[in-house]
Amino acid sequence: MKLEVKNIHKSFGGTEVLHGISFTVESNNALGLLGRNGAGKTTTMRILMDVFKANQGEILLDGKKFEPSKCSIGYMPEERGLYPKRVILEQMIYFGRLHGLGKKEAEESSKKWLNRMGIGEYANRKLETLSKGNQQKVQLAATLVANPDIVVLDEPFSGLDPVNSQVLKDIVTELIAKGKLVIFSSHQMNYVEEFCDNIVIINHGNVVLSGKLKEIKREFGKDQLVVGFEQLSGDETRQLLETKYSEYVQVTAVTKSQVVLKLKESVEKNDFIQAMAKNGENISFVGNYEPSLNDIFVEKAGDEV
């Protein structure tokens, strides 16, 4: 399957909040939909599920107009949507039937997913009696109860301990391997890097960056190096470079024992290394710099940080 979001605009009360959002997600891949609070991610997701109507633009599934009512979508919202005072299994069955399952099928699927999450023993308890982590797992089970073709996960790992996070990680990996369309939104960039081949960063209702994560990292790391010197701290290394090699490089970041630097215009990597070797510097490490997704996100969406 291939889902295409094309030039989506959305206004509330005369104020446009989405200014032409476009992206594509395909089976066997997860798309990381990223942005700061208020950037437009949730509005985009709700338009995708037909909760809101776009003022302009279109959404296509395999080249045809996307009709959410005719497609199975599992949505895990950031603001959890289950009923705390209701019995878990009863509301799981209820959500399954809302998605078109028969009563017996909904019950079997509910029990299967609760067991898969490791919380089958709590099926007949009220949701509010569970820990926050286990309530999170119930929410994911409810998202998947109808075996959706499209899965939208908004901050699925929020508040989870490492053990519960691993359970969810395994399930997300399985969903991707089974050919589901997965849209994954999180502020925990390590999870996005782990699952998503492609990313879209939204800032103030605009797509400011999109594409394959590996290619984006390669482009952002171009002309940047990581350098360390024997017996010098990161701050001492920065001082040395700024004193003796300012014509070659500009220091952009400092760690405990190394620095990240950018080659100046028309300077080649080998020119810089040869200059250091000529001066007899005790280089312990020099290599290409690969930025983290967090670094990229801050650069593209951190204008108000």
Side-chain angles (χ1 to χ4, degrees):
M1 292 187 295
K2 182 178 181 180
L3 183 75
E4 298 172 90
V5 175
K6 293 188 170 185
N7 195 35
I8 295 295
H9 291 253
K10 178 62 182 176
S11 298
F12 293 104
T15 300
E16 189 172 73
V17 297
L18 297 182
H19 314 293
I21 300 297
S22 298
F23 60 82
T24 299
V25 56
E26 300 186 50
S27 298
N28 298 113
N29 289 287
L31 175 77
L33 184 62
L34 309 177
R36 300 177 64 192
N37 294 331
K41 304 187 306 297
T42 300
T43 299
T44 301
M45 292 178 186
R46 289 176 176 172
I47 289 173
L48 176 64
M49 292 175 294
D50 207 26
V51 176
F52 296 152
K53 297 290 186 182
N55 298 101
Q56 182 181 332
E58 62 180 349
I59 301 176
L60 305 177
L61 182 64
D62 293 332
K64 299 178 182 179
K65 182 180 178 181
F66 178 57
E67 299 182 69
S69 61
K70 297 181 180 180
C71 185
S72 180
I73 303 177
Y75 175 46
M76 185 175 181
E78 182 176 6
E79 307 83 10
R80 305 313 179 208
L82 298 180
Y83 302 101
K85 297 186 180 298
R86 297 296 299 271
V87 172
I88 292 167
L89 182 59
E90 289 179 357
Q91 55 183 315
M92 288 276 295
I93 293 171
Y94 170 71
F95 282 113
R97 298 205 70 185
L98 282 180
H99 282 86
L101 301 183
K103 184 176 181 180
K104 182 179 179 181
E105 186 181 9
E107 182 175 356
E108 290 175 351
S109 182
S110 297
K111 290 178 177 178
K112 180 194 80 171
W113 277 111
L114 291 173
N115 288 328
R116 178 69 180 81
M117 301 287 176
I119 50 175
E121 63 189 291
Y122 305 132
N124 294 308
R125 288 173 54 174
K126 292 181 180 179
L127 182 68
E128 65 182 0
T129 66
L130 272 60
S131 67
K132 182 178 180 180
N134 282 332
Q135 289 186 32
Q136 186 91 322
K137 289 158 77 175
V138 174
Q139 182 76 61
L140 182 59
T143 301
L144 302 176
V145 67
N147 190 30
D149 296 315
I150 299 173
V151 181
V152 182
L153 304 173
D154 195 355
E155 295 292 350
F157 293 94
S158 177
L160 292 183
D161 60 45
V163 174
N164 283 326
S165 292
Q166 186 60 52
V167 174
L168 265 68
K169 284 167 65 176
D170 292 343
I171 290 171
V172 173
T173 300
E174 290 175 13
L175 293 172
I176 296 169
K178 288 179 179 178
K180 307 294 186 182
L181 290 177
V182 178
I183 298 175
F184 184 92
S185 181
S186 179
H187 291 115
Q188 295 169 280
M189 298 297 166
N190 56 316
Y191 291 125
V192 178
E193 290 197 70
E194 186 168 352
F195 294 120
C196 299
D197 297 312
N198 301 280
I199 63 165
V200 173
I201 297 179
I202 299 175
N203 196 31
H204 300 303
N206 295 289
V207 173
V208 294
L209 184 68
S210 65
K212 293 186 179 298
L213 182 54
K214 287 184 179 179
E215 295 176 0
I216 289 171
K217 282 190 168 190
R218 190 180 305 118
E219 180 62 26
F220 267 75
K222 188 171 66 174
D223 296 330
Q224 294 192 72
L225 302 173
V226 180
V227 175
F229 292 94
E230 292 181 11
Q231 300 180 342
L232 293 185
S233 68
D235 285 333
E236 290 169 333
T237 299
R238 174 175 59 184
Q239 185 175 6
L240 172 66
L241 291 173
E242 289 178 344
T243 301
K244 297 176 64 175
Y245 300 99
S246 59
E247 64 185 289
Y248 294 95
V249 297
Q250 177 184 355
V251 175
T252 58
V254 180
T255 68
K256 184 177 180 180
S257 60
Q258 298 176 342
V259 300
V260 179
L261 51 85
K262 186 174 182 63
L263 295 171
K264 291 195 171 179
E265 189 175 353
S266 76
V267 174
E268 297 292 334
K269 175 181 175 181
N270 286 339
D271 295 337
F272 171 55
I273 294 174
Q274 287 172 8
M276 290 192 295
K278 184 178 179 180
N279 289 330
E281 308 291 2
N282 292 320
I283 304 169
S284 62
F285 178 82
V286 58
N288 293 324
Y289 171 65
E290 181 178 284
S292 68
L293 180 54
N294 188 73
D295 295 333
I296 295 168
F297 180 83
V298 169
E299 180 170 333
K300 298 302 294 187
D303 51 307
E304 298 172 6
V305 173

